[in-house]
Amino acid sequence: MTSPFADPSFTPGLLHDARQAGVTRFVVAAVITDGDRVLLLRRPADDFMPGLWELPSGKVEPGEEFDKALRRETEEETGLTINQIIAYLGQFDYISKSGALTRQLTFEVTVERTAPLTLTEHDDHAWADRADLPSVSDAVRELITR
């Protein structure tokens, strides 16, 4: 498989669409699987959207390339190293805690290993069956159950 980033028009297209929509911040998210199960992380009780289960994800820093941010954030949040970015699964927009219109770009990836996990920003993790997901947002549910 070829990474979506191999297409030279991929990133400029994402940026153009975001500018048109008024997006001011990006988050990248990784769909990591172990067999038929997908990795989800739970937000701590004292965090924005407490208790919500989400994909490993994080903010793209100014000037940072999306693929580099995806690799960095996945490793920072889980301790897992991405081998390959397989596919772009889609996006959704939301208003961040600071009020910024944020676009989450979600990618299917493979990792070197699926264990052990080292959580740094979340209080729990689960390898969830796509047909029996815990409390995730509707947007995340739609992306990972397609």
Side-chain angles (χ1 to χ4, degrees):
M1 297 201 139
T2 303
S3 167
F5 294 103
D7 176 352
S9 66
F10 179 69
T11 298
L14 290 177
L15 292 170
H16 173 76
D17 291 348
R19 277 194 296 275
Q20 298 287 42
V23 170
T24 59
R25 177 184 285 175
F26 289 97
V27 167
V28 287
V31 173
I32 301 169
T33 58
D34 185 9
D36 292 335
R37 302 173 308 156
V38 63
L39 177 61
L40 296 172
L41 308 176
R42 188 175 64 195
R43 298 183 73 89
D46 62 350
D47 202 358
F48 179 60
M49 297 184 294
L52 187 70
W53 291 85
E54 63 183 3
L55 299 166
S57 59
K59 181 180 168 188
V60 178
E61 298 298 334
E64 188 176 29
E65 296 174 10
F66 293 138
D67 57 332
K68 290 185 178 27
L70 181 63
R71 292 175 187 281
R72 176 184 54 75
E73 284 290 344
T74 299
E75 189 157 1
E76 284 178 7
E77 288 195 350
T78 66
L80 302 179
T81 301
I82 292 176
N83 274 338
Q84 185 176 18
I85 302 169
I86 297 172
Y88 175 62
L89 299 179
Q91 66 194 33
F92 60 87
D93 296 346
Y94 65 95
I95 303 297
S96 72
K97 182 178 179 180
S98 68
L101 180 57
T102 302
R103 178 161 292 173
Q104 179 171 308
L105 307 172
T106 303
F107 298 87
E108 181 179 359
V109 304
T110 61
V111 292
E112 289 180 1
R113 56 178 172 67
T114 56
L117 267 74
T118 305
L119 301 181
T120 59
E121 300 174 20
H122 297 83
D123 65 7
D124 201 3
H125 78 280
W127 289 98
D129 184 306
R130 292 175 198 242
D132 187 27
L133 296 172
S135 178
V136 297
S137 71
D138 291 340
V140 167
R141 183 177 307 277
E142 181 181 329
L143 283 170
I144 62 178
T145 59
R146 288 183 182 173

